[in-house]
Amino acid sequence: MITPEFARMMARYNAWQNRSLVAAASGLDDANRLADRGAFFRSIAGTFNHLYWGDSIWMWRFGATEKPKGSIADSVGCFEAWADFVAARHALDQVILDWAEAVPAEWLNGEMRWHSNAAGREVSRKHGLLVAHFFNHQTHHRGQIHAMLTAAGARPDDTDLFLLPDRT
């Protein structure tokens, strides 16, 4: 289902889109980034923080980082200072790129078992499905961020995958 090439492409897409959204959000002040805009994680900053935490927990499960602190409920408050978030987001995107460059095809066919606090039970799924979920989760929340940024008057770049710049 999922190949190492897919993981690499989606890691590049993730980094590209995060750069765009972070740049657009950086043009807003803290009050606009923190304003409750009716999204599930309320604000632009809260949704960015949750996405960072979610990426971190999956990268931990995939063996690429240490386990992040807190829970889903705590995820909206990972970073108070915007500059700290921006630096951490860029660093995590590099971790994801490095992980994707090294992921072996045979690992994608393996299976992971873990206790999901979100599901409240033990879960077992194929790595390939979990990688697809990981990238889908990013796209879902970046879409929310994009909509909130647009409503706030910011203008993120295009999001179409076919516009992903070549590596060169």
Side-chain angles (χ1 to χ4, degrees):
M1 172 174 40
I2 301 299
T3 64
E5 292 78 18
F6 176 82
R8 288 191 284 275
M9 176 187 64
M10 292 306 293
R12 287 179 47 237
Y13 179 73
N14 170 66
W16 175 56
Q17 285 301 296
N18 284 336
R19 283 191 303 271
S20 168
L21 295 177
V22 166
S26 292
L28 301 174
D29 60 17
D30 282 338
N32 273 299
R33 285 191 295 268
L34 294 168
D36 188 335
R37 299 185 181 278
F40 189 83
F41 293 102
R42 296 181 301 281
S43 67
I44 293 166
T47 306
F48 265 127
N49 277 317
H50 167 73
L51 182 52
Y52 175 89
W53 184 88
D55 286 354
S56 296
I57 199 82
W58 283 107
M59 282 289 99
W60 168 68
R61 288 177 181 148
F62 296 163
T65 62
E66 294 182 16
K67 186 177 183 180
K69 292 180 172 83
S71 65
I72 291 173
D74 303 320
S75 67
V76 297
C78 288
F79 299 94
E80 290 185 25
W82 181 248
D84 293 341
F85 166 77
V86 171
R89 179 73 262 180
H90 290 311
L92 183 56
D93 286 344
Q94 188 60 54
V95 167
I96 295 168
L97 286 163
D98 293 345
W99 169 83
E101 283 298 323
V103 70
E106 51 278 1
W107 181 85
L108 293 167
N109 293 320
E111 192 166 293
M112 179 184 300
R113 179 174 295 280
W114 77 103
H115 178 82
S116 168
N117 288 335
R121 60 183 168 86
E122 193 81 9
V123 180
S124 179
R125 297 288 184 269
K126 293 280 189 185
H127 289 144
L129 175 75
L130 297 174
V131 170
H133 165 76
F134 170 67
F135 290 120
N136 188 62
H137 181 259
Q138 294 171 339
T139 300
H140 165 69
H141 286 302
R142 280 196 308 264
Q144 292 174 323
I145 293 167
H146 193 285
M148 289 186 281
L149 286 169
T150 301
R155 296 289 173 244
D157 296 329
D158 289 326
T159 61
D160 295 313
L161 182 58
F162 74 88
L163 295 174
L164 176 66
D166 293 333
R167 290 177 186 243
T168 58

